[in-house]
Amino acid sequence: MNTTRINDLLNILAVVQKPTTEAQSMNIIIFVIIVVIILVIVSTLYANKK
Amino acid sequence: MKFLEKKILIKTLIIFAIYFSYTVIVSSLLGVFNLNDQIYNLFIADLIFFFGMICAYKNKIKDDYHEFLNKYKLKEKILIIFKWVLLLFIFNLIMGFLTEIFLPSAADGIDDNVNALKSLFGVSTMYTIFKAMLFAPIVEELLFRESISECINNKIVFMITTSLIYAIMNTIYGDMSKTYMILDFISYFLFYLILSGLYLKYNKNIVIIMFIKFFYNLIPLTILLLGV
């Protein structure tokens, strides 16, 4: 059995962002996605609580 | 929404905005002074963000550390960390086997996040150690778990949200066209779901999770350092 994947899955748990400008557009997209996720969830929870 | 809740939400969103932009800002500023070494600039940027996050959450870290110190005996502390590091390690192994069983074609693929870390290790050992042993357990836990936990009170929704964001962050910089990315995503999601469960189990004590992640990361980092 090829154990490459198993070794890879024993990985270091650290997010490695792509450096600087080349990933900046990607960073903006992820940021917007995360903001939307948080805002939608928080507002839904708040609306349900009300 | 109360004023305090709004304040916490805005604080979280600002921290996320800084997280996604600080490398570019610091690198640009250093570039003005003709400091153009990418790794060196990233290291400095990460260090600034690292200390900024510690300042922003210093009271929470202090309180949780004292709780961890006083609530459990030494033997219990060691047992909690050792037990969960071992269980997470076994879980990851099982996920590795399942990936090979269900998607044998992915056996030769390399997780892009792991690849990035390995490349980083080739360029700067010191930076990789900092990233894996200090930045990841402390900053990432504060950013992706603590800040979100302050905004979302519902336990289940919190667990799913934080694990989802973590899994996105660990996979999105990779090549999304690769078939095994979905399996990596699921692996990361389930892994972080367990960590979120532990965070809630131990009364939202972020320091315990930091220790678990620190010792978990120590295993692959040691393997990487030994070159096995």
Side-chain angles (χ1 to χ4, degrees), chain B residues 93-214:
Chain B
L93 265 179
I94 294 167
M95 288 306 289
F97 277 117
L98 288 177
T99 309
E100 286 197 16
I101 291 164
F102 291 110
L103 201 65
S105 61
D108 294 325
I110 295 172
D111 181 339
D112 288 315
N113 198 59
V114 177
N115 234 347
L117 263 167
K118 281 180 179 170
S119 314
L120 199 62
F121 184 74
V123 180
S124 172
T125 311
M126 190 62 99
Y127 182 44
T128 314
I129 292 171
F130 165 76
K131 195 87 177 162
M133 306 311 292
L134 291 174
F135 195 86
I138 297 174
V139 173
E140 287 178 14
E141 286 305 317
L142 288 173
L143 180 74
F144 296 118
R145 215 176 304 279
E146 186 57 39
S147 71
I148 294 171
S149 133
E150 286 179 355
C151 297
I152 300 170
N153 292 324
N154 187 307
K155 287 179 180 177
I156 307 286
V157 180
F158 157 71
M159 280 173 73
I160 294 170
T161 311
T162 188
S163 310
L164 191 69
I165 292 174
Y166 242 130
I168 290 172
M169 286 305 299
N170 272 286
T171 47
I172 204 148
Y173 293 103
D175 185 353
M176 299 306 280
S177 63
K178 288 174 185 168
T179 44
Y180 61 80
M181 286 307 278
I182 185 72
L183 286 166
D184 279 340
F185 184 86
I186 295 166
S187 296
Y188 279 121
F189 179 79
L190 294 175
F191 196 94
Y192 288 120
L193 204 62
I194 297 171
L195 279 177
S196 302
L198 291 179
Y199 173 70
L200 295 176
K201 177 182 159 70
Y202 292 109
N203 201 22
K204 294 192 173 182
N205 191 319
I206 197 73
V207 171
I208 294 179
I209 307 301
M210 285 174 181
F211 275 120
I212 291 173
K213 201 166 173 182
F214 176 89

Side-chain angles (χ1 to χ4, degrees), chain A residues 1-2 4-6 8-18 20 24 26-27 30-31 41-42 45-46 49, chain B residues 1 17 19-20 24 27 92 96 100 106-109 111 113-114 136 140 157 161 172-173 184 188 191 217 220:
Chain A
M1 185 183 272
N2 189 330
T4 316
R5 292 291 301 158
I6 294 167
D8 287 339
L9 279 163
L10 295 177
N11 56 18
I12 297 166
L13 294 172
V15 175
V16 182
Q17 286 191 57
K18 280 195 179 154
T20 62
Q24 199 49 25
M26 179 66 107
N27 281 350
I30 307 164
F31 173 65
I41 287 168
V42 169
L45 287 175
Y46 182 68
K49 208 166 81 179
Chain B
M1 195 179 268
Y19 175 73
F20 285 107
V24 172
S27 294
N92 234 353
E100 286 197 16
D108 294 325
D111 181 339
N113 198 59
V114 177
E140 287 178 14
V157 180
T161 311
I172 204 148
Y173 293 103
D184 279 340
Y188 279 121
F191 196 94
N217 274 355

Side-chain angles (χ1 to χ4, degrees), chain B residues 86-97:
Chain B
L86 189 73
L87 285 173
L88 286 167
F89 198 76
I90 292 167
F91 171 79
N92 234 353
L93 265 179
I94 294 167
M95 288 306 289
F97 277 117

